[in-house]
Amino acid sequence: MADLNDPTTDWWRHAVVYQVYVRSFADSDGDGIGDLPGITARLPHLADLGVDALWLTPFYTSPQHDHGYDVADYKDVDPLFGKLDDADDLIARAHELGLRVIVDVVPNHSSDEHEWFRAALAAEPGSPERARYLFRDSEDGNPPNNWESVFGGPAWTQVDDGQWYLHLFDSTQPDLDWRNPDVPEMFEGVLRFWLDRGVDGFRIDVAHGLFKEASLRDQVLREDEPAGSSHGRTDADSREPKEMVERDARDEPMWDQPEVHEVYRSWHRILDEAGPDRMAVAEAWTSTVESMAAYIRPDELDQTFNFAWLLAEWSAESFAEVITDTLASVESVDASPTWVLSNHDVTRHVTRYGGGEQGLARARAATLAMLALPGSSYLYQGEELGLEQVDVAPEDRQDPSYLRTGEVGRDGCRVPIPWGGTQAPYDFGPGSAQPWIPQPDDWAALTVEAQAADPTSTLAFYRDALRIRRDFAWTAGDKVDVLDLGQDVLAFRRGPLTVVLNCGTTPVELPEGEVLLASGPIDGTLPADTAAWLRA
Ligand code: NOJ
Ligand code: MG
């Protein structure tokens, strides 16, 4: 168990953080929707798994148009998920189990049901109420500029008196105007509120948003370039990495503006005041590793998600390149790297790697390589069970991006967790109440209960990996030497550990050393789609 009382550690520098998608983790009251008491009751699963912290997606008061990323009251719990007391209980119980708690903060936009937005609609154009959002007039009956929502369609919606408001996401998520001093002041209060309740850190939603170029000028599009933002081309839908648009050359007046860094400097001070062991991790889809590093300069945030690992194609060369680039960029600002393969916005990695047996073998192998790297790894609920993306029937889809565009959205990675039993709801909640997205019929062998009893299961593999990782995570150092074991093999050494990942199609020789763990069966050599940890 981690020593939560040791203030000297910068615990996040080598943590394994488990993302809990609140709606889909565990349901305590039988309404088919996961909730805070459900999570609290299942915390022993996370302690047994061996993670250091959990990150909770938004559970605040919200009409749930974007499943909580549309916040109506940042300082309260939505009745769907429980009460403030339930949040306190969850935090307290997690701490008893040696688990830190990170909560989401959503500063780019509020819900349209936030009291500020209601007041803005009730007030006149030009009023102080409207000035907390980005209301604009337009002369020709068209939206004030050509920006597209990440979820598809124009980023502007017109209100009854003719003005338009900006929403980079759904129309129920109006963007706040961070040049208005009310806005930073409100969020400083929000951070303090949750710090006082004992949270250990924050995950900052759309951290590269907040400020837009003040002119709100048109985005200049290259001829071959789809309208909209690269943010949307990456996290808001389930397209494969190869379809991603090259970002470096894009004109993006809506993202990554220099003013945003002053906000994170002030948040850094607030976190510091609360204690030496509070942290923040940014969700910042920036175009270059250099601009990513800017968010984690010593006086800003502690970490930023490094989506490059998730976006890398299945090849030793791409993995090696991501490792080298990432380490160089975080080293330039003396920060710690992060790694992630799945989250609630992207296709689960078993499926990205082709699905089925091969997809699972590759997913386990990529995970093992990731967990050996310096820095923290962020895991997404269900990956420890080897879950695949689910093909959710059109009538069950609820992602606002699907509702806006008709394109398959993110529902398939948000299907509720199977805990036990042989049929849906697989103990997700009490009784036979079915969850908010139906679970597949063939998940009986994938439940936590079934896998806990099987030493060859993916769950057993994750537990082994995290247990062994504890022995070296803090002591193996941050230096990684990439080794050349042939072009299909990613191999690196970190302290006493040698890591080999076979991305090719034929078995390869294992280097000298004692095998500590392998991601699949090995037999003298390392088969294709398999990784191993060795001690020299
Ligand atoms: C990123 C979140 O991860 C995603 O789920 C959400 O839809 C957008 N930000 C908007 O808040
Ligand atoms: Mg419930």
Side-chain angles (χ1 to χ4, degrees), residues 26-35 80:
D27 174 26
S28 71
D29 58 3
D31 65 354
I33 298 178
D35 46 48
L80 264 185

Side-chain angles (χ1 to χ4, degrees), residues 106-374:
V106 188
N108 180 69
H109 44 265
S110 74
S111 159
D112 61 345
E113 293 188 20
H114 190 281
E115 61 176 47
W116 276 5
F117 196 74
R118 289 175 190 260
L121 287 187
E124 301 285 300
S127 60
E129 287 83 0
R130 289 221 170 162
R132 293 177 178 135
Y133 294 89
L134 292 156
F135 278 87
R136 292 292 182 274
D137 298 315
S138 97
E139 271 139 41
D140 55 3
N142 291 317
N145 70 24
N146 70 349
W147 298 1
E148 288 228 333
S149 154
V150 169
F151 293 159
W156 295 90
T157 289
Q158 194 166 27
V159 300
D160 289 347
D161 55 38
Q163 276 210 310
W164 301 74
Y165 65 90
L166 178 72
H167 52 88
L168 292 177
F169 295 87
D170 192 49
S171 56
T172 60
Q173 294 168 297
D175 280 53
L176 289 155
D177 185 354
W178 273 82
R179 290 189 170 79
N180 182 327
D182 287 358
V183 175
E185 188 191 313
M186 196 257 276
F187 279 96
E188 290 180 8
V190 170
L191 296 185
R192 291 204 167 93
F193 178 85
W194 290 103
L195 288 167
D196 287 348
R197 300 196 98 85
V199 305
D200 301 284
F202 297 100
R203 176 265 189 193
I204 300 161
D205 188 64
V206 198
H208 58 309
L210 281 57
F211 284 87
K212 288 83 191 163
E213 249 186 63
S215 65
L216 299 182
R217 65 168 174 85
D218 275 356
Q219 176 178 27
V220 180
L221 298 169
R222 291 195 315 250
E223 257 170 51
D224 56 343
E225 190 177 24
S229 68
S230 40
H231 182 96
R233 305 264 95 75
T234 49
D235 80 337
D237 59 27
S238 299
R239 285 175 226 200
E240 297 307 312
K242 61 180 167 7
E243 292 175 36
M244 308 263 310
V245 177
E246 275 291 322
R247 296 200 55 191
D248 309 22
R250 292 187 63 119
D251 174 46
E252 297 192 322
M254 67 290 279
W255 304 122
D256 202 17
Q257 300 299 307
E259 295 93 327
V260 80
H261 294 288
E262 201 42 60
V263 175
Y264 299 135
R265 287 191 191 101
S266 79
W267 289 16
H268 183 100
R269 292 190 289 272
I270 291 172
L271 288 164
D272 262 2
E273 280 162 24
D277 54 354
R278 313 291 179 106
M279 59 81 78
V281 54
E283 183 219 19
W285 294 87
T286 57
S287 47
T288 62
V289 285
E290 291 78 24
S291 51
M292 177 182 101
Y295 288 77
I296 46 175
R297 287 176 286 194
D299 59 346
E300 295 197 35
L301 304 173
D302 301 290
Q303 295 187 323
T304 173
F305 292 129
N306 168 26
F307 295 113
W309 186 253
L310 173 162
L311 297 171
E313 62 176 41
W314 180 257
S315 87
E317 194 188 344
S318 351
F319 285 130
E321 195 179 300
V322 171
I323 293 173
T324 313
D325 289 356
T326 302
L327 295 180
S329 81
V330 298
E331 201 188 328
S332 71
V333 284
D334 193 27
S336 59
T338 67
W339 314 93
V340 56
L341 282 165
S342 278
N343 65 33
H344 66 295
D345 290 328
V346 300
T347 303
R348 283 187 177 278
H349 58 288
V350 175
T351 307
R352 288 205 315 272
Y353 294 141
E357 263 179 44
Q358 186 183 47
L360 181 60
R362 289 183 172 186
R364 287 168 57 146
T367 301
L368 196 65
M370 170 177 89
L371 290 172
L373 289 164

Side-chain angles (χ1 to χ4, degrees), residues 350-428:
V350 175
T351 307
R352 288 205 315 272
Y353 294 141
E357 263 179 44
Q358 186 183 47
L360 181 60
R362 289 183 172 186
R364 287 168 57 146
T367 301
L368 196 65
M370 170 177 89
L371 290 172
L373 289 164
S376 350
S377 286
Y378 284 78
L379 308 180
Y380 177 50
Q381 68 180 37
E383 68 171 81
E384 78 280 24
L385 306 176
L387 297 188
E388 294 203 33
Q389 192 78 0
V390 175
D391 190 8
V392 177
E395 62 275 20
D396 295 322
R397 293 180 194 153
Q398 303 195 28
D399 182 348
S401 78
Y402 170 71
L403 302 176
R404 282 178 73 88
T405 63
E407 283 180 39
V408 178
R410 303 165 293 179
D411 300 295
C413 60
R414 299 174 173 183
V415 176
I417 294 297
W419 291 95
T422 53
Q423 57 190 31
Y426 303 106
D427 293 344
F428 172 65

